[in-house]
C-alpha cells in the first residue's frame, strides 16, 4: 500500500505538467535589425508571432491556431495597431504540406485562395485565385486589396 501511495505521489506532478503543457517563447533578430518573437501556448492551441522594428515599434502580429497535433490550421494577420488585415485557413496534403490557403477579410468575406502545386521534393508552383474562383495573373492580388501571404513552401511542422 505504501508503495502505491509513493508511486502515485511521484507520478501526479508529471501527469499535471503534461496536461497543462509548456509555453515556449523564442526571439530571432532579422537581417534588417527587427525582431520576430514567437510565443507558443499548447493549452490555448495558439502561436503568436510579433515583428518589432529596431526602434521598438510593432510592425505586425500573426496569431496561428493549432490543431491537436500542434500544426497550424489557420492564422489571423494583424497590422501594427492590432487591426485584422486578413485571415487564412490551411488545407494539407497527405505529406503534411500546405496545399491550399483560403484568404478571408476581417469580417470573414472570402478574398481568394492560394494553391500550392508540388512539382518536386522542395519546389512548388503557386496559383492564386480571386473570391469568384478566377485564376489571377502572376503578381496580382485577390479582391479586397489585401496582400496574400508571401510565396513560400510551408510544411506542417508541430509547433512545440
Amino acid at each position: 500500500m505504501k508503495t502505491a501511495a509513493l508511486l502515485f505521489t511521484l507520478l501526479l506532478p508529471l501527469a499535471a505538467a503534461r496536461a497543462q503543457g509548456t509555453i515556449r517563447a523564442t526571439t530571432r533578430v532579422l537581417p534588417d535589425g527587427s525582431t520576430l518573437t514567437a510565443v507558443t501556448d499548447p493549452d490555448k492551441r495558439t502561436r503568436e508571432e510579433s515583428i518589432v522594428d529596431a526602434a521598438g515599434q510593432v510592425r505586425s502580429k500573426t496569431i496561428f491556431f493549432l490543431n491537436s497535433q500542434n500544426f497550424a490550421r489557420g492564422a489571423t494577420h494583424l497590422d501594427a495597431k492590432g487591426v485584422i488585415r486578413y485571415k487564412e485557413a490551411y488545407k494539407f496534403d497527405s505529406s503534411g504540406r500546405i496545399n491550399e490557403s483560403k484568404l478571408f477579410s476581417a469580417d470573414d468575406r472570402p478574398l481568394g485562395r492560394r494553391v500550392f502545386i508540388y512539382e518536386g521534393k522542395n519546389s512548388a508552383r503557386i496559383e492564386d485565385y480571386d473570391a469568384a474562383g478566377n485564376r489571377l495573373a502572376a503578381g496580382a492580388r485577390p479582391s479586397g486589396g489585401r496582400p496574400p501571404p508571401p510565396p513560400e513552401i510551408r510544411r506542417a511542422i508541430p509547433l512545440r
Side-chain angles (χ1 to χ4, degrees):
M1 183 69 175
K2 289 181 181 180
T3 305
L6 178 63
L7 186 60
F8 179 77
T9 304
L10 293 174
L11 292 179
L12 183 61
L14 293 174
R18 186 171 285 204
Q20 292 177 350
T22 303
I23 294 175
R24 180 176 160 211
T26 58
T27 300
R28 290 187 331 192
V29 177
L30 302 175
D32 65 355
S34 60
T35 58
L36 181 134
T37 301
V39 178
T40 304
D41 187 337
D43 292 336
K44 291 182 182 176
R45 296 206 187 282
T46 60
R47 175 183 172 96
E48 294 185 15
E49 293 183 356
S50 299
I51 297 178
V52 178
D53 65 20
Q57 298 296 316
V58 175
R59 288 195 324 206
S60 66
K61 183 177 182 179
T62 302
I63 302 169
F64 294 95
F65 304 98
L66 310 177
N67 64 16
S68 59
Q69 291 86 29
N70 283 335
F71 293 125
R73 58 180 172 80
T76 299
H77 301 272
L78 306 137
D79 65 12
K81 295 178 182 176
V83 177
I84 296 174
R85 292 177 45 221
Y86 66 97
K87 302 174 185 178
E88 336 179 51
Y90 306 133
K91 285 187 177 181
F92 301 94
D93 66 11
S94 60
S95 298
R97 300 175 293 195
I98 295 174
N99 63 2
E100 183 177 48
S101 173
K102 291 186 178 182
L103 305 171
F104 300 93
S105 67
D107 59 355
D108 295 324
R109 285 180 295 110
L111 296 175
R113 64 189 178 106
R114 173 167 275 184
V115 177
F116 298 84
I117 301 165
Y118 296 96
E119 298 171 330
K121 184 175 181 178
N122 292 319
S123 64
R125 182 169 38 93
I126 298 170
E127 295 178 356
D128 290 318
Y129 296 85
D130 65 14
N134 301 312
R135 186 171 175 202
L136 300 174
R141 292 183 176 180
S143 64
R146 301 288 186 209
E152 61 184 67
I153 297 174
R154 296 182 276 180
R155 182 179 298 274
I157 298 173
L159 302 173
R160 295 190 178 129

